[in-house]
Amino acid sequence: MPVLSDEARAKVNLTLRVNGRRTDGYHDLESVVAFADCADRLTLTPGSDLDLKMLGPLADACGDTSDNLVLKAARLLAERVPGMKAGSFTLDKALPVAAGIGGGSADAAAALRLLAQLNGLALDDVSIIEVAKLTGADVPVCVNSHSCVMTGVGEALQPLTLPKMPCVMVNPGVPVATKDVFAALGLRNGELRVGVTDVLLQDRWPDGQASLEDWVEALAASSNDLETPALRVQPVIGEVIAALNATNGAWLARMSGSGATCFAIYENTAEAGRAAAKLRRDHPRWWVHAGTLS
């Protein structure tokens, strides 16, 4: 059978509100999610053995392959699909690890897409949906990799139509564990950060005809609630945001997810490209990507 291949696109949280912490310990979130044009690449060579090989510029940062979410997702799906066909995965790792852009989750989602293709499953098959939720909070949104409002613990997805957003993404090369950021946020089980009225009056986002300017204005009125606790975990995040804000034409600069990757939105791709070139000159050790979000 032919080798199958797919891209695992980076996820960017344009906003992230923490409504509170549930009694089971999970945090209740609301986030506007977009996807970038940078990605890992995952291939699947059908065969009898399930395994994973790593390559690419950031492969060494991934740690032991036995803990990789690609294999976790595949094993969970095999438990639910009798006689599931699988094989050998190869992951070309280009996205930073523990970076707030869902790299591992996107890889797991790509694995589910490839296994669905190999086994004749639809992406809305109950087994795919269940395994995505069990593999990680960001995996469901990464399965379709479409812009949306993500709520709950990542399981409720409302599609959005975003304009193309010229952007620069920057990671300073330091991993940030999500659990450390939530620990710094410091919510107790059952503690709310918003009242019922706040939830009922949640942001209403622009419609599908809205311009880039409309969206930037709406996004600027919101925030990422994890940015402040993440700064306590890794203060360099503040340097990244300041550097992005200092570039010409940056309309909005913010951290994605639990960090440390940050992004800025620009009026056009030329300005984004010039900003990225300056950041690479000034900070040669940082991971910098110029592209678009959508």
Side-chain angles (χ1 to χ4, degrees):
M1 297 186 69
V3 174
L4 306 177
S5 181
D6 203 348
E7 284 192 333
R9 294 170 64 198
K11 170 222 59 153
V12 173
N13 299 92
L14 298 174
T15 70
L16 200 163
R17 173 158 53 191
V18 182
N19 290 326
R21 187 173 184 178
R22 306 186 329 185
T23 55
D24 61 7
Y26 289 99
H27 289 79
D28 186 63
L29 310 175
E30 180 191 0
S31 178
V32 175
V33 176
F35 286 86
D37 55 357
C38 53
D40 294 335
R41 176 159 288 279
L42 187 69
T43 59
L44 173 59
T45 303
S48 57
D49 295 328
L50 175 63
D51 60 21
L52 173 64
K53 301 179 181 67
M54 306 286 295
L55 52 87
L58 295 173
D60 291 344
C62 293
D64 189 349
T65 57
S66 63
D67 296 328
N68 196 281
L69 293 183
V70 166
L71 292 181
K72 179 180 178 180
R75 289 168 180 147
L76 286 170
L77 190 62
E79 293 172 3
R80 290 158 176 79
V81 179
M84 186 187 83
K85 292 180 283 189
S88 178
F89 287 101
T90 300
L91 178 60
D92 187 348
K93 191 67 182 171
L95 299 177
V97 176
I101 52 175
S105 297
D107 297 340
L112 291 176
R113 290 194 298 271
L114 292 175
L115 290 169
Q117 182 180 349
L118 183 61
N119 290 275
L121 300 173
L123 291 184
D124 60 357
D125 185 280
V126 62
S127 298
I128 297 290
I129 294 171
E130 182 181 5
V131 168
K133 293 177 181 177
L134 289 171
T135 304
D138 279 339
V139 179
V141 73
C142 290
V143 169
N144 288 313
S145 294
H146 291 154
S147 56
C148 65
V149 177
M150 180 175 68
T151 54
V153 293
E155 81 287 2
L157 308 173
Q158 177 186 347
L160 277 180
T161 300
L162 294 176
K164 293 282 187 181
M165 295 183 172
C167 78
V168 174
M169 298 165 60
V170 177
N171 184 278
V174 293
V176 177
T178 300
K179 63 179 178 62
D180 293 343
V181 176
F182 277 113
L185 183 64
L187 296 183
R188 301 181 303 275
N189 284 7
E191 183 178 355
L192 295 177
R193 297 183 74 248
V194 297
V196 174
T197 303
D198 296 314
V199 173
L200 292 174
L201 297 176
Q202 285 180 12
D203 302 308
R204 297 294 182 261
W205 300 105
D207 62 26
Q209 306 303 313
S211 67
L212 176 60
E213 291 89 342
D214 292 335
W215 266 100
V216 170
E217 183 178 354
L219 295 171
S222 190
S223 64
N224 181 343
D225 289 345
L226 296 182
E227 200 168 287
T228 297
L231 280 165
R232 293 199 290 270
V233 175
Q234 280 291 358
V236 70
I237 292 169
E239 297 178 32
V240 175
I241 293 173
L244 284 165
N245 273 321
T247 59
N248 291 330
W251 279 1
L252 174 70
R254 181 170 289 164
M255 186 185 81
S256 174
S258 55
T261 303
C262 302
F263 66 91
I265 298 173
Y266 297 80
E267 182 177 4
N268 55 61
T269 55
E271 284 191 337
R274 288 191 290 269
K278 182 180 189 304
L279 288 163
R280 292 189 188 102
R281 288 194 304 270
D282 295 346
H283 304 277
R285 295 183 181 275
W286 289 1
W287 177 90
V288 178
H289 171 77
T292 57
L293 303 173
S294 60

